[in-house]
C-alpha cells in the first residue's frame, strides 16, 4: 500500500542554529491497480459478444438434374453479365451474346434496375459469368449488387465459347490487355 518516508531530507541549514523541516515523500504501490485492470479486461472479454461472420446463402444444384427439372427462363427476362479483365463488365439482354454492351461497375446498378423495372418480376433472371481473368473482388461486388437491388433469381455460370470470344474481341478492339 502507500507508505511515508520520514527520513531527513539532506541536512542543509539556512542559518546558524536553524533546523530544516523534514520532507515527507510518498510512494504509491500500484499492485492493486494492476489487479483491477486485469479484472476489468476479463470482465469485458466475457461480457461482450464477438462479431459473427456474415455469409451469403448459396444454393447448389443437385447432381441428378433432368431436363424437365431445369429452370426455364424467358428470353425477354434474361440479363447476362460477363465480367472481363481490367475491371471491365459486359452485359447483354436476351440470349444473343453478339449484342454485347460494355458498362462499368458503378453503372451496373442502373442497368440491373432498368431491366428490373421493364420486366415482370416472375420473368427476370440474371446470369453472372465471370471470365477467367475476372477478379474475386469484382465477383463479390456483382453478388452484392444482386442483394442491394433485391434480385431473387440469379445464377453463376462459366462463360461459353461464344461469349468468351466476343469478350476477347471487344477487349482487343478497346485496347485492354
Amino acid at each position: 500500500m502507500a507508505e511515508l518516508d520520514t527520513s531527513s531530507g539532506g541536512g542543509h541549514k539556512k542559518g546558524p542554529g536553524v533546523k530544516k523541516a523534514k520532507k515527507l515523500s510518498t510512494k504509491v504501490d500500484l499492485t492493486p491497480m494492476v489487479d483491477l485492470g486485469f479484472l476489468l479486461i476479463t470482465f469485458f472479454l466475457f461480457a461482450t459478444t464477438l462479431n459473427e461472420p456474415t455469409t451469403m446463402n448459396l444454393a447448389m444444384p443437385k447432381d441428378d438434374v433432368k431436363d424437365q427439372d431445369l429452370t426455364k427462363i424467358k428470353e425477354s427476362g434474361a440479363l447476362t453479365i460477363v465480367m472481363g479483365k481490367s475491371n471491365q463488365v459486359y452485359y447483354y439482354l436476351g440470349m444473343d451474346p453478339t449484342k454485347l454492351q460494355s458498362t462499368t461497375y458503378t453503372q451496373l446498378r442502373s442497368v440491373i434496375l432498368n431491366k428490373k423495372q421493364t420486366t415482370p418480376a416472375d420473368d427476370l433472371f440474371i446470369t453472372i459469368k465471370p471470365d477467367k481473368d475476372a477478379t474475386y473482388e469484382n465477383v463479390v461486388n456483382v453478388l452484392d449488387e444482386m442483394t442491394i437491388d433485391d434480385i431473387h433469381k440469379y445464377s453463376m455460370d462459366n462463360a461459353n465459347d461464344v461469349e468468351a470470344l466476343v469478350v476477347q474481341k471487344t477487349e482487343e478492339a478497346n485496347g485492354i490487355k
Side-chain angles (χ1 to χ4, degrees):
M1 294 296 193
E3 59 187 62
L4 294 177
D5 185 12
T6 57
S7 63
S8 73
H12 289 339
K13 296 181 180 180
K14 294 196 176 185
V18 178
K19 289 186 175 182
K20 185 175 179 183
K22 292 182 180 180
K23 288 188 177 181
L24 301 175
S25 66
T26 59
K27 181 180 174 187
V28 178
D29 185 16
L30 294 179
T31 305
M33 187 68 76
V34 174
D35 291 343
L36 180 65
F38 279 114
L39 283 172
L40 286 173
I41 289 171
T42 306
F43 171 76
F44 285 119
L45 282 175
F46 289 125
T48 59
T49 58
L50 300 176
N51 286 342
E52 295 180 11
T54 55
T55 59
M56 182 181 295
N57 292 332
L58 182 63
M60 298 295 291
K62 296 179 182 173
D63 290 334
D64 56 347
V65 175
K66 299 176 182 103
D67 284 341
Q68 68 265 17
D69 295 337
L70 293 176
T71 303
K72 305 291 185 202
I73 60 172
K74 293 184 178 179
E75 186 171 349
S76 62
L79 170 65
T80 304
I81 300 170
V82 183
M83 292 175 278
K85 57 185 169 184
S86 299
N87 294 328
Q88 296 296 314
V89 63
Y90 307 97
Y91 69 96
Y92 61 91
L93 305 171
M95 303 291 183
D96 188 10
T98 59
K99 297 181 180 177
L100 196 69
Q101 300 176 30
S102 177
T103 188
T104 62
Y105 282 98
T106 55
Q107 296 172 342
L108 184 61
R109 182 176 297 169
S110 63
V111 171
I112 294 170
L113 290 177
N114 186 29
K115 183 66 177 175
K116 184 178 177 181
Q117 290 173 352
T118 59
T119 307
D122 292 338
D123 295 344
L124 179 64
F125 192 86
I126 298 177
T127 306
I128 304 165
K129 297 187 176 187
D131 190 54
K132 61 182 171 83
D133 296 319
T135 64
Y136 181 76
E137 177 185 5
N138 290 340
V139 174
V140 171
N141 287 341
V142 172
L143 290 174
D144 285 344
E145 273 306 318
M146 297 299 123
T147 304
I148 292 168
D149 297 337
D150 199 31
I151 304 295
H152 299 289
K153 293 179 4 182
Y154 60 92
S155 70
M156 285 190 68
D157 196 5
N158 293 326
N160 60 32
D161 294 336
V162 175
E163 292 165 337
L165 183 64
V166 172
V167 167
Q168 179 184 2
K169 295 293 183 187
T170 305
E171 288 177 344
E172 287 174 1
N174 293 335
I176 298 171
K177 297 184 182 193

